[in-house]
């Protein structure tokens, strides 16, 4: 037996508000939690496009592409690096002991003098972390959006 209920205007407005609130919350959670983690890549061109979303102009070909192993146990230094990753929506602790691809691109438009590089870590076709850095005497390391490890 089916029961039919009528929806008056107040119930319809209430339901619409709930649906809109849930949709807004979902969009916010996706943008905060998924961030870059949701980005699938199939190679260097996709990574360049991803870096462009942060305003970085990079050379189209990587300087290096190599396999690196995420440590099974994080040293203090690597834990600080993972803290930077967490600031930008990644968490490398999920990939302990895994072999990942590391792409390094030369950044062409960073205001710092000297060579600046974008390092991007990829695992099974997904970006899982990375940084913008300089190895000069006054070197630095930041997240993709330019926020430093210490901010």
């Amino acid at each position: 037996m089916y029961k039919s209920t009528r929806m008056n205007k107040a119930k319809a407005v209430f339901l619409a508000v709930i649906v809109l609130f849930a949709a807004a919350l979902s969009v916010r959670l996706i943008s905060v939690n998924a961030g870059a983690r949701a980005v699938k890549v199939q190679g260097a061109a996709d990574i360049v496009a991803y870096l462009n979303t942060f305003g970085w102009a990079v050379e189209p070909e990587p300087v290096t592409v190599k396999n690196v192993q995420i440590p099974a146990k994080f040293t203090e230094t690597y834990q600080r690096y993972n803290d930077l990753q967490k600031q930008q929506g990644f968490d490398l602790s999920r990939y302990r002991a895994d072999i990942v691809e590391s792409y390094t691109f030369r950044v062409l438009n960073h205001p710092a003098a000297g060579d600046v590089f974008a390092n991007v870590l990829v695992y099974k076709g997904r970006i899982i972390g990375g940084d913008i850095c300089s190895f000069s005497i006054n070197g630095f390391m930041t997240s993709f959006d330019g926020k430093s490890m210490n901010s």
Side-chain angles (χ1 to χ4, degrees), residues 117-139:
F117 300 93
N119 299 299
V120 181
L121 300 173
V122 176
Y123 181 72
K124 294 185 178 179
R126 289 188 178 270
I127 294 175
I128 63 163
D131 60 84
I132 305 296
C133 70
S134 169
F135 300 112
S136 69
I137 196 155
N138 296 318

Side-chain angles (χ1 to χ4, degrees), residues 44 47-48 51 58-63 103-107 116-118:
I47 297 169
V48 168
L51 292 168
V58 298
E59 290 181 348
E61 294 299 320
V63 176
Y103 290 78
T104 301
F105 294 86
R106 187 174 312 279
V107 177
V116 176
F117 300 93

Side-chain angles (χ1 to χ4, degrees), residues 8-148:
N8 63 27
K9 190 173 184 175
K11 286 182 182 178
V13 169
F14 177 75
L15 183 60
V17 168
I18 295 296
V19 169
L20 289 173
F21 176 78
L25 183 60
S26 295
V27 168
R28 174 73 177 140
L29 289 175
I30 288 168
S31 66
V32 168
N33 293 329
R37 291 181 300 178
V39 175
K40 291 183 180 181
V41 292
Q42 294 183 354
D46 289 344
I47 297 169
V48 168
Y50 172 75
L51 292 168
N52 292 162
T53 67
F54 293 97
W56 300 120
V58 298
E59 290 181 348
E61 294 299 320
V63 176
T64 62
V65 178
K66 60 186 175 183
N67 289 334
V68 297
Q69 185 171 26
I70 305 295
K73 183 175 180 177
F74 289 179
T75 62
E76 181 181 334
T77 301
Y78 209 90
Q79 184 57 54
R80 287 185 61 225
Y81 184 71
N82 196 43
D83 290 343
L84 175 71
Q85 301 313 308
K86 288 178 179 180
Q87 287 177 13
Q88 58 185 356
F90 301 115
D91 185 356
L92 296 178
S93 64
R94 299 175 185 176
Y95 305 97
R96 292 177 190 260
D98 286 332
I99 305 290
V100 304
E101 292 178 295
S102 174
Y103 290 78
T104 301
F105 294 86
R106 187 174 312 279
V107 177
L108 304 173
N109 66 333
H110 197 282
D115 287 336
V116 176
F117 300 93
N119 299 299
V120 181
L121 300 173
V122 176
Y123 181 72
K124 294 185 178 179
R126 289 188 178 270
I127 294 175
I128 63 163
D131 60 84
I132 305 296
C133 70
S134 169
F135 300 112
S136 69
I137 196 155
N138 296 318
F140 61 86
M141 182 178 291
T142 68
S143 58
F144 292 131
D145 64 6
K147 295 179 181 172
S148 88

